[in-house]
């Protein structure tokens, strides 16, 4: 049975037919037809605001939404019991082995990621839906090539799902001849197949359909998500407010509209998250034409910098004022089970990060590896004790102005090592992404699309503002290309000729140059990256 106006342009193999049923496709198509015109208008609005920023304007809290901010009466409704305690959340791609390990990790929450930790190949997107269907029904299992079996424990983390952002499209599903919104594809398929099962099964890894929302830049984009939630719930006869969504505040523009974003999601809101790596990427991207916003090496731009402190403290205050959870960000350091010294340093860095977040009032935090769950849990246990959260800690003493959020004076140097690291990480991550692996351990850090975006946009920023290496030459496209040659030679020697030739390093270099050295800034590397994947 076909669905009028709907064309599946990707192969439907194996269990994909269980996901891409006529009923599910019709459901996604209905969401898309209703909401896509607004989505496109909002993307045009993004472009208009970028033109204003390029001309030297700076954002501010919006006067038109002042009544929402000044009304002290409204609150976010209480969340279900399995979202009350979120002290440690683990994240990773929606992939079978990862899903099992993360749900079994001891973390309170697992976010299955269709966005930054995932390469959006057709196989990854649909197979991820298959694996989540199985996870919700607790039938998921995996046997490694070595014969090791993986199954869910009796007690597992609460499951949340992160769809792709509003700026992306799923080219393998056409509605009336146009690619469907990737956000609605990811959200809609998971909701259609699992919402009722989550609500009715006592064994499901969540009491309802819970989501993380990525890359929002305004409360109007949150309003669009709220409309999608209401349409979806009404279509399946599920009460409004059943969906719960946590919004990642990972763009500088969204930082000025945190209260409005919570307000727009209304009964569907379950808090905000400090998406720190995308936040830095957003700052560089939005102020890319402004020469006074040029950062030193990425390693120097730490969470203790004033603009970061302002952002995270405002997030905690905003959430707690409205009875919402404030979730901290990802520490990129990861352990190495084969190297005790690396593991010791990683644990120390993660502990330092989680001490700061828990003391600041966050109700939970993110980790990228199961071995980091205990140390993060220990630090939040120290502050929370047996309490599920610290939402009652209002942080009324925090007073953050627009100037505080825009204080981008970061001391530090641009070093040759910093430039080389950005080039090497950028190419290595993109090569991994092109092979379908969207979360990659590089130099003892967990890199995903967000951190790779920082690497390439710093190179773009330095080259386009004629920044110089401290005590060295200016950073030009020619210098970057020379360093690319040298870094690729190091990679060749490290991985060997066979692995190098079997990889996608030359394509990765081409894509890196396209997003790091082009005259016009490319908003997201994933957009041209789609041309390189199936």
């Amino acid at each position: 049975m076909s669905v009028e106006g709907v064309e599946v342009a990707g192969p439907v193999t194996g269990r994909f037919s269980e996901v891409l049923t006529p009923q599910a496709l019709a459901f996604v198509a209905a969401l898309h037809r209703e909401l896509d015109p607004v989505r496109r208008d909002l993307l045009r609005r993004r472009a208009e605001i970028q033109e204003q920023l390029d001309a030297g304007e700076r954002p501010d809290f919006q006067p038109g939404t002042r009544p929402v901010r000044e009304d002290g009466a409204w609150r976010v409704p209480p969340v279900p019991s399995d979202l009350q305690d979120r002290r440690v959340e683990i994240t990773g791609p929606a992939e079978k082995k990862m899903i099992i390990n993360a749900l079994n990790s001891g973390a309170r929450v697992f976010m299955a990621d269709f966005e930054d930790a995932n390469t959006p190949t057709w196989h990854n997107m649909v197979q991820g839906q298959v694996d989540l269907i199985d996870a919700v029904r607790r039938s998921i299992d995996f046997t490694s090539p070595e014969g090791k079996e993986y199954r869910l424990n009796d007690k597992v983390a609460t499951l949340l799902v992160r769809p792709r952002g509003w700026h992306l499209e799923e080219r393998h599903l056409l509605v009336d001849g146009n690619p469907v919104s990737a956000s609605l594809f990811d959200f809609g398929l998971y909701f259609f197949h699992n919402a009722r099962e989550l609500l009715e099964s006592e064994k499901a890894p969540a009491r309802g359909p819970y989501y993380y929302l990525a890359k929002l830049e305004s409360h109007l984009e949150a309003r669009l998500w709220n409309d999608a939630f209401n349409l979806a719930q009404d279509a399946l006869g599920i009460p409004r407010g059943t969906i719960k969504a946590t919004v990642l505040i990972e763009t500088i523009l969204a930082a000025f509209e945190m209260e409005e974003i919570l307000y727009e999601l209304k009964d569907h809101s379950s808090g905000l998250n400090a998406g720190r790596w995308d936040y830095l990427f957003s700052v560089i991207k939005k102020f890319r034409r402004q020469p006074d916003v040029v950062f030193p090496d990425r390693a120097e731009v730490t969470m203790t910098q004033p603009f970061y402190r302002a952002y995270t403290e405002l997030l905690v205050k905003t959430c707690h004022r409205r009875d919402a959870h404030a979730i901290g960000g990802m520490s990129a350091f990861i352990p190495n089970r084969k190297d005790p010294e690396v593991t010791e340093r990683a644990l120390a860095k993660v502990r330092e990060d989680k001490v700061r977040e828990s003391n600041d009032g966050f109700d939970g935090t993110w980790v990228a590896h199961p071995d980091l769950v205990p140390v993060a849990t220990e630090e939040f246990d120290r502050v929370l004790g047996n309490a599920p959260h610290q939402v009652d800690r209002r942080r009324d003493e925090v007073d953050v102005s627009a100037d505080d959020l825009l204080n981008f004076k970061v001391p530090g140097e641009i070093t040759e090592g910093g430039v080389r690291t950005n080039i090497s990480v950028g190419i290595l991550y993109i090569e991994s992404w092109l092979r379908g692996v969207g979360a990659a351990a590089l130099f003892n850090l967990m890199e995903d699309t967000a951190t790779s975006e920082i690497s390439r946009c710093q190179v773009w920023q330095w080259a386009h503002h004629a920044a110089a290496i401290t005590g060295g030459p200016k950073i030009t496209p020619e210098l970057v290309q020379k360093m690319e040659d040298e870094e690729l030679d190091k990679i060749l020697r490290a991985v060997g000729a066979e692995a190098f030739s079997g990889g996608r390093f030359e394509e990765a270099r081409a894509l890196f140059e396209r997003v790091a050295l082009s005259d016009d800034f490319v908003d997201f590397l994933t957009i041209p990256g789609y041309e390189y994947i199936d």
Side-chain angles (χ1 to χ4, degrees):
M1 174 180 138
S2 62
V3 179
E4 184 176 356
V6 176
E7 178 188 354
V8 178
V12 181
T13 57
R15 295 180 60 194
F16 286 16
S17 60
E18 297 176 29
V19 173
L20 304 168
T21 64
Q23 296 82 2
L25 294 175
F27 177 77
V28 171
L31 294 176
H32 179 80
R33 287 176 176 132
E34 181 70 23
L35 301 171
D36 198 55
V38 179
R39 180 185 75 91
R40 292 181 181 277
D41 284 343
L42 290 172
L43 294 180
R44 283 189 285 270
R45 182 176 183 271
R46 286 188 186 184
E48 292 167 358
I49 292 173
Q50 185 61 58
E51 290 179 358
Q52 297 167 7
L53 296 175
D54 287 345
E57 293 188 23
R58 294 291 176 102
D60 202 345
F61 298 98
Q62 293 190 18
T65 56
R66 183 177 289 116
V68 171
R69 297 193 300 275
E70 293 182 348
D71 181 355
W74 66 269
R75 295 288 186 273
V76 168
V79 295
S81 59
D82 56 345
L83 285 176
Q84 287 287 334
D85 188 335
R86 302 175 62 176
R87 66 189 67 198
V88 178
E89 304 188 350
I90 190 169
T91 75
E95 177 271 327
K96 185 175 292 189
K97 182 180 176 183
M98 178 71 206
I99 292 171
I100 297 171
N101 284 341
L103 288 173
N104 288 343
S105 68
R108 299 303 202 276
V109 167
F110 165 51
M111 185 196 77
D113 194 10
F114 284 117
E115 212 229 6
D116 276 352
N118 172 69
T119 304
T121 64
W122 177 244
H123 177 271
N124 283 357
M125 303 317 298
V126 185
Q127 185 61 46
Q129 295 283 351
V130 171
D131 293 339
L132 289 175
I133 287 172
D134 289 347
V136 167
R137 290 153 183 80
R138 299 186 66 94
S139 61
I140 189 170
D141 59 34
F142 174 75
T143 303
S144 72
E146 299 77 26
K148 184 177 180 180
E149 296 183 351
Y150 297 79
R151 289 183 174 80
L152 292 182
N153 297 336
D154 291 337
K155 184 178 180 180
V156 296
T158 298
L159 176 63
L160 279 72
V161 173
R162 176 162 69 166
R164 286 169 284 178
W166 284 127
H167 60 288
L168 296 173
E169 295 177 339
E170 178 48 68
R171 64 182 180 181
H172 296 93
L173 182 65
L174 306 179
V175 175
D176 304 326
N178 296 309
V180 73
S181 159
S183 303
L184 298 177
F185 180 87
D186 300 341
F187 156 72
L189 289 176
Y190 179 73
F191 184 83
F192 182 86
H193 289 294
N194 299 295
R196 198 162 296 283
E197 181 74 18
L198 288 163
L199 292 168
E200 295 177 355
S201 173
E202 295 181 358
K203 296 182 178 181
R207 295 173 62 87
Y210 305 149
Y211 293 90
Y212 258 106
L213 305 181
K215 304 290 190 296
L216 271 68
E217 296 193 8
S218 75
H219 70 284
L220 299 177
E221 296 180 15
R223 182 183 297 171
L224 182 58
W225 269 118
N226 197 68
D227 291 342
F229 295 161
N230 284 333
L231 283 169
Q233 290 165 140
D234 292 350
L236 297 191
I238 289 173
R240 291 189 174 190
T242 298
I243 294 171
K244 297 298 177 185
T246 305
V247 174
L248 288 135
I249 301 299
E250 54 187 351
T251 68
I252 180 65
L253 299 181
F256 288 90
E257 301 186 34
M258 293 192 217
E259 292 205 67
E260 294 92 325
I261 286 170
L262 286 174
Y263 182 81
E264 289 294 343
L265 285 166
K266 299 182 174 66
D267 293 344
H268 300 116
S269 184
S270 58
L272 304 176
N273 175 293
R276 60 176 70 168
W277 302 116
D278 263 307
Y279 193 79
L280 177 56
F281 163 53
S282 170
V283 169
I284 299 172
K285 175 169 66 173
K286 292 300 179 185
F287 302 110
R288 60 198 184 225
R289 300 290 180 185
Q290 301 190 24
D292 59 332
V293 188
V294 176
F295 289 113
D297 288 357
R298 167 181 149 184
E300 301 288 342
V301 192
T302 66
M303 295 304 297
T304 60
Q305 296 299 331
F307 81 96
Y308 257 147
R309 293 293 294 155
Y311 146 69
T312 54
E313 294 212 309
L314 180 60
L315 189 148
V316 172
K317 178 181 180 178
T318 299
C319 286
H320 290 184
R321 184 183 183 215
R322 303 304 181 180
D323 290 349
H325 281 67
I327 307 300
M330 176 73 75
S331 176
F333 295 95
I334 56 173
N336 184 332
R337 292 172 180 174
K338 297 179 181 179
D339 191 330
E341 289 188 14
V342 168
T343 295
E344 185 177 349
R345 288 196 298 271
L347 292 177
K349 289 287 189 181
V350 171
R351 186 179 299 278
E352 177 185 356
D353 187 59
K354 304 317 172 189
V355 165
R356 181 179 58 254
E357 287 184 330
S358 59
N359 288 342
D360 282 348
F362 280 98
D363 304 292
T365 190
W366 272 16
V367 297
H369 192 286
D371 289 355
L372 300 178
V373 171
V375 66
T377 300
E378 182 180 337
E379 291 310 321
F380 274 84
D381 285 350
R382 176 182 56 81
V383 171
L384 298 180
N386 293 323
H389 52 70
Q390 51 183 332
V391 168
D392 57 350
R393 186 180 168 197
R394 294 306 195 198
R395 297 302 313 272
D396 291 332
E397 77 281 8
V398 171
D399 184 17
V400 173
S401 68
D403 287 341
D404 295 326
L405 290 172
L406 299 172
N407 179 9
F408 300 133
K409 296 187 183 303
V410 177
E413 298 180 341
I414 301 173
T415 67
E416 180 179 338
V419 180
R420 288 186 179 276
T421 295
N422 277 345
I423 292 170
S424 182
V425 166
I427 293 175
L428 282 167
Y429 176 78
I430 290 173
E431 194 276 334
S432 173
W433 189 88
L434 293 176
R435 288 186 286 105
V437 180
L442 302 174
F443 308 118
N444 303 311
L445 297 173
M446 182 59 72
E447 304 283 352
D448 65 5
T449 305
T451 52
S452 182
E453 292 277 28
I454 296 171
S455 294
R456 66 93 177 183
C457 72
Q458 274 206 304
V459 172
W460 190 97
Q461 181 187 54
W462 292 337
H464 281 73
H465 288 288
I469 294 172
T470 303
K474 287 186 176 180
I475 301 167
T476 63
E478 292 75 22
L479 179 63
V480 171
Q481 289 168 333
K482 178 177 179 292
M483 288 185 175
E484 287 174 357
D485 289 336
E486 294 164 353
E487 293 305 308
L488 278 168
D489 188 58
K490 292 177 186 177
I491 294 168
L492 169 61
R493 294 198 303 271
V495 304
E498 183 177 353
F500 190 89
S501 63
R504 302 187 66 177
F505 291 99
E506 291 303 327
E507 291 170 287
R509 176 181 181 163
L511 180 53
F512 178 79
E513 287 194 3
R514 186 171 170 183
V515 297
L517 297 178
S518 61
D519 290 336
D520 294 326
F521 189 91
V522 178
D523 278 345
F524 295 94
L525 70 83
T526 47
I527 293 176
Y530 274 16
E531 300 171 15
Y532 295 76
I533 60 175
D534 295 326

